Amino acid sequence: MSQDRQLQEAVLAEFAWEPSVTAAHIGVTAKNGIVTLTGHVENYPEKRAAERAATRVKGVKAVVEELKVQLHDSVQRSDEEIANAAAMRLAWEVSVPRDAVKIKVEHGWVTLTGQVDWHFQKAAAERTIRGLYGVVGILNETTIKARADASNISDKIDRALHRSWFDPKKITVTTQGGKVTLTGSVDTPGDRYIAGATAWGAPGATAVENDLIIA
């Protein structure tokens, strides 16, 4: 059996194992470690769950996600209803500064804008509305406020990465203002995610470009 076919079957098996994913509605192809997902899911959280499940399979280098959200009639909501529910959720979310994030809804797609101090606040805003009825996708355009102390970001991230078990010879951190770029290689997609999350934890980081490859 070819490696591509083995990887395809491994991803399908992972979908069958993951209770939040309906595997029968998803098509999987694999080529040179790149997995493409097609078909449809019933809600936006299932779409995210399918992407995460594929990413954690050994041998997957990247996931091309082409899934469509097809809502059942019973969970359809108007854009106004979604906007009102999203605004209420954000108002109750302690991780998101009050009135910092603005909401626009169009055909079930939610766009978030505004400015926050930290990336975890931007992520919390998206996570808070992800499971709302009627949402078919989220575009998070919230930005991180620039800080005056952005000059030492690279050194701080280096130290944070090396406190973990990352090999200092395999990851290079470069910065330009508040923008951080990670290059080099890691062993798994999970390692790549952790390295990116570590970079986002640096004070003054306004953007992270994760160019790490899986090797």
Side-chain angles (χ1 to χ4, degrees):
M1 184 184 299
S2 69
Q3 289 185 338
D4 289 342
R5 182 55 184 266
Q6 287 179 330
L7 189 57
Q8 177 191 38
E9 293 191 357
V11 173
L12 288 170
E14 188 67 16
F15 286 164
W17 178 260
E18 173 56 54
S20 61
V21 174
T22 304
H25 298 157
I26 301 176
V28 177
T29 59
K31 185 175 182 179
N32 299 326
I34 310 300
V35 170
T36 301
L37 309 181
T38 56
H40 71 274
V41 292
E42 295 182 353
N43 52 65
Y44 185 65
E46 184 181 358
K47 181 177 182 178
R48 291 296 300 266
E51 183 177 358
R52 288 195 303 270
T55 300
R56 64 178 177 250
V57 173
K58 182 179 180 180
V60 173
K61 296 180 179 179
V63 175
V64 179
E65 191 267 287
E66 298 179 351
L67 294 169
K68 295 182 179 180
V69 178
Q70 294 184 359
L71 299 174
H72 190 273
D73 289 343
S74 63
V75 299
Q76 295 278 357
R77 296 293 187 273
S78 69
D79 288 346
E80 182 179 1
E81 289 174 316
I82 296 170
N84 287 333
M88 185 175 296
R89 282 281 185 91
L90 286 179
W92 281 86
E93 175 53 58
V94 297
S95 298
V96 181
R98 184 173 290 276
D99 299 326
V101 177
K102 309 302 179 186
I103 302 164
K104 183 182 78 172
V105 185
E106 186 174 1
H107 305 303
W109 271 89
V110 179
T111 301
L112 304 178
T113 57
Q115 276 197 332
V116 293
D117 294 313
W118 293 92
H119 181 261
F120 82 87
Q121 296 169 331
K122 174 178 178 176
E126 179 176 339
R127 184 176 61 251
T128 298
I129 64 174
R130 193 176 293 160
L132 291 175
Y133 280 132
V135 172
V136 299
I138 299 174
L139 183 60
N140 194 345
E141 296 183 342
T142 310
T143 58
I144 314 298
K145 295 177 184 177
R147 297 192 183 193
D149 62 347
S151 58
N152 296 322
I153 294 178
S154 180
D155 290 340
K156 292 175 181 177
I157 295 173
D158 270 329
R159 289 195 294 269
L161 287 172
H162 301 159
R163 282 196 298 270
S164 185
W165 42 267
F166 287 108
D167 184 346
K169 297 179 181 179
K170 297 181 69 174
I171 298 179
T172 300
V173 181
T174 57
T175 59
Q176 184 175 9
K179 180 181 177 181
V180 179
T181 301
L182 303 179
T183 55
S185 64
V186 290
D187 295 327
T188 69
D191 293 345
R192 184 177 186 273
Y193 171 82
I194 292 171
T198 301
W200 271 120
T206 58
V208 173
E209 187 170 323
N210 193 341
D211 290 335
L212 293 171
I213 62 172
I214 314 301

